Amino acid sequence: MSSGKAVFAVPKAPGRGKRKARYERKGRQVEPFAAREIAALLGDRSRQKDLLIEHLHLIQDTYGFLSAAHLTALADEMRMALAEVYEVATFYHNFEVVKDDAVAPATLTIKVCDSLSCEMAGAMALKQDLAAKYGATLRVTHGACMGRCECAPVVRLKDRYVENATMAEVDLAVEAAKINAPLLDINAPALQEHKDAGGFTALKRLRTGELTAEAIIESLSDAGHRGLGGAGFPHALKLNSVLSVPGPRYMAINADESEPGTFKDRYFMNTNPYPFLEGMLIAAKIVDAEAVYIFLRDEYPETAKILSHCLTEIRDAGLDDGRPIHLRRGAGAYICGEESAMLESIEGKRGLPRHKPPFPAHVGLFGQPTLINNVETLYWLPDIINKGTAWFKDGGRNGGTGFRTFSLSGHVNKPGVYITPAGITAQELVDEFGGGMKDGHVFRAYLPGGASGGILPSTMADIPLDFGTLEKYGCFIGSAAVIVLSDQDDMKMIGRNLMRFFEDESCGQCTPCRAGTEKAVLLMERDKWDADLLTELSDCMRDASICGLGQAAPNGLLSILKHFAEDVR
């Protein structure tokens, strides 16, 4: 070394092109055949992210399931991360995701509803018989409440439903499904017929300025009109809350009634949706909504056809004022009945409830103030405007105000949807509308508000069914889904059915609900229930769960421990 200095090699900086570049992107690669199929399937449809669930439905409707290759191609087509697409596809019950090494599901799946009304009507025995007969060739599995509790038990084969299902009826449906026989035509009502009967009068008065938004809100306040999706929030206050925040504003309609025992919104939409749609247009005009989103549960395919027809007639008649009305399809998630989870689903995401505040009225759909209503709430709006607040208030009994629509199921002679005076009692509902108890059954108990509303014994069937009358007994009216139990029902079975439902439907976001429902099911499977431990677990779920699902999940359990302790000792 002539210079007496050590010579060190200068390290080369990475990423300077000294190595060959990757010839493909990181992660799973898009299969050319899948890319062609997805591009052709989507056609000229928008690739915006909030349409992800709609596109997933389109793929499954076409191919029968969601393959890994198609999910990858969809993610590439929509410029989304595959993880985003996959987490949404696997969140919802009605999507069938098939991984590379998995066997594609049978071309035909038989789903047997296992909600409370259906299990009381023999659904479990029917499912076993169907599995024994078809299990080797078709897939027989359970299905969550299908919104047809008055016709229990119910079986679903794609968009084909078998009500009051028997083996013989299901056999016929299977053969029809195998040859893809056409479904019965739906006779959607005509717009002109509804207008001839006085329909859209209230909307016309609002559009012409004869009636003001302020006057309508004042009428709703005077009438004591509440939201009828479950929470019972005063409608006038909700409208004012949305109006208190600068626009742009949106409107979202929750037509995803998934509470076991509830089917009243389906009744309104299937028989004559125009009163509900007029109420929707009135409310949208009051808050000056940029667009309206109707979130319809996936189990109502015939309702989707009816609404599509009616919305087309409304647009053609110019009744929408040019306001976009989007019909969005749910994918099987009870949690989307929670308003913020519904908004997440409309935005194309998993239906995870948001933390509140802020509340959706101020920060809702796409981060904008949003008016949220359910179908029945809007159904009453035109009548209150046209007939006056006195008419509505005089409709109640036993101190109730207005009218209430009950979904009645269980051991009664005439299950169905009934519009009754608000404040009617369970005994009056059974006797005056339900045709009394079925032969051989003695009225023992009832659920006043579906799976989450608790259980009361028949000795307490004289309590008015209305907002604020049941809470002191650990129950609530909720969506007014009354399920009638008899002396032939096993209360352990009742409690287990309800808790299994909540375990299955928990979104998993918070530990008290996710783990609490799972632990409760295990404890309730025992012959003797540990009342102290179950009560402690219930208190934790009620106090610490993020949303109403976990908070209400223990209601049925606690009601049984309180009123039917001798059945579970």
Side-chain angles (χ1 to χ4, degrees), residues 228-250:
L228 298 171
F233 193 81
H235 195 181
L237 287 180
K238 182 178 290 187
L239 289 166
N240 281 326
S241 181
V242 175
L243 287 169
S244 69
V245 183
R249 306 184 187 96
Y250 290 98

Side-chain angles (χ1 to χ4, degrees), residues 504-545:
D504 193 44
E505 295 292 348
S506 173
C507 73
Q509 181 177 189
C510 66
T511 302
C513 177
R514 181 187 66 249
T517 52
E518 178 186 358
K519 298 302 181 185
V521 167
L522 293 174
L523 291 171
M524 294 167 72
E525 291 293 340
R526 299 177 181 176
D527 290 334
K528 181 181 177 181
W529 291 6
D530 187 331
D532 292 337
L533 186 55
L534 284 169
T535 300
E536 182 180 355
L537 179 61
S538 297
D539 289 342
C540 176
M541 293 169 63
R542 281 179 156 183
D543 293 341
S545 294

Side-chain angles (χ1 to χ4, degrees), residues 281-302:
L281 294 171
I282 292 171
K285 190 165 184 63
I286 289 175
V287 300
D288 191 26
E290 292 283 311
V292 178
Y293 290 80
I294 303 175
F295 188 73
L296 180 67
R297 71 177 304 194
D298 189 36
E299 287 76 9
Y300 291 174
E302 77 287 0

Side-chain angles (χ1 to χ4, degrees), residues 24-359:
E24 61 186 20
R25 292 179 296 177
K26 291 182 178 180
R28 185 185 183 97
Q29 303 306 301
V30 179
E31 300 286 348
F33 82 91
R36 290 192 298 270
E37 290 176 347
I38 294 301
L41 193 60
L42 296 187
D44 59 358
R45 293 177 174 85
S46 172
R47 270 59 167 176
Q48 62 197 60
K49 289 187 176 183
D50 59 286
L51 289 174
L52 173 58
I53 294 175
E54 292 294 304
H55 294 341
L56 290 172
H57 275 303
L58 183 62
I59 297 170
Q60 179 155 299
D61 290 344
T62 304
Y63 295 99
F65 58 91
L66 303 174
S67 68
H70 281 152
L71 290 178
T72 306
L74 179 64
D76 183 70
E77 190 75 22
M78 297 185 70
R79 300 295 185 264
M80 297 177 65
L82 178 57
E84 291 181 88
V85 175
Y86 185 80
E87 71 177 7
V88 171
T90 53
F91 179 84
Y92 296 94
H93 298 313
N94 293 349
F95 289 139
E96 297 284 350
V97 177
V98 177
K99 298 180 181 179
D100 288 325
D101 55 349
V103 178
T107 55
L108 187 59
T109 296
I110 302 174
K111 288 187 176 182
V112 182
C113 179
D114 62 1
S115 71
L116 181 57
S117 297
C118 283
E119 182 163 355
M120 289 164 56
M124 296 302 102
L126 177 63
K127 180 183 173 184
Q128 292 177 357
D129 292 341
L130 289 171
K133 182 171 183 176
Y134 293 108
T137 55
L138 305 177
R139 187 173 60 156
V140 180
T141 184
H142 81 99
C145 183
M146 298 176 184
R148 293 163 173 80
C149 311
E150 80 279 25
C151 303
V154 181
V155 173
R156 180 184 186 184
L157 300 92
K158 295 184 179 178
D159 287 344
R160 198 178 305 271
Y161 288 84
V162 184
E163 299 174 346
N164 300 308
T166 62
M167 282 294 295
E169 293 292 332
V170 175
D171 289 341
L172 294 175
V174 169
E175 294 306 313
K178 284 181 177 179
I179 62 173
N180 200 27
L183 299 170
L184 294 176
D185 290 334
I186 303 297
N187 294 320
L191 173 63
Q192 191 58 48
E193 292 179 7
H194 182 69
K195 292 176 74 174
D196 292 343
F200 290 96
T201 302
L203 177 63
K204 181 180 179 181
R205 293 171 61 197
L206 178 62
R207 296 175 72 189
T208 59
E210 179 185 344
L211 194 64
T212 65
E214 292 77 12
I216 293 176
I217 294 174
E218 185 177 348
S219 294
L220 293 176
S221 178
D222 183 46
H225 189 230
R226 292 172 176 257
L228 298 171
F233 193 81
H235 195 181
L237 287 180
K238 182 178 290 187
L239 289 166
N240 281 326
S241 181
V242 175
L243 287 169
S244 69
V245 183
R249 306 184 187 96
Y250 290 98
M251 182 177 183
I253 297 167
N254 191 342
D256 187 55
E257 55 175 0
S258 303
E259 182 78 27
T262 308
F263 44 94
K264 59 187 176 72
D265 287 350
R266 176 174 172 264
Y267 168 82
F268 287 125
M269 291 185 287
N270 283 11
T271 55
N272 184 11
Y274 285 118
F276 143 63
L277 293 173
E278 181 181 2
M280 173 192 76
L281 294 171
I282 292 171
K285 190 165 184 63
I286 289 175
V287 300
D288 191 26
E290 292 283 311
V292 178
Y293 290 80
I294 303 175
F295 188 73
L296 180 67
R297 71 177 304 194
D298 189 36
E299 287 76 9
Y300 291 174
E302 77 287 0
T303 308
K305 294 179 181 178
I306 293 173
L307 289 181
S308 295
H309 166 81
C310 294
L311 290 174
T312 298
E313 288 210 322
I314 284 174
R315 291 189 191 101
D316 291 344
L319 293 172
D320 60 353
D321 291 327
R323 181 177 289 108
I325 303 174
H326 306 280
L327 183 59
R328 291 292 175 86
R329 182 176 166 188
Y334 169 76
I335 190 62
C336 289
E338 198 277 335
E339 58 181 7
S340 64
M342 177 190 68
L343 298 180
E344 290 287 299
S345 192
I346 292 175
E347 292 179 5
K349 307 171 187 174
R350 294 177 294 167
L352 299 180
R354 300 173 181 174
H355 291 273
K356 302 173 186 177
F359 295 96

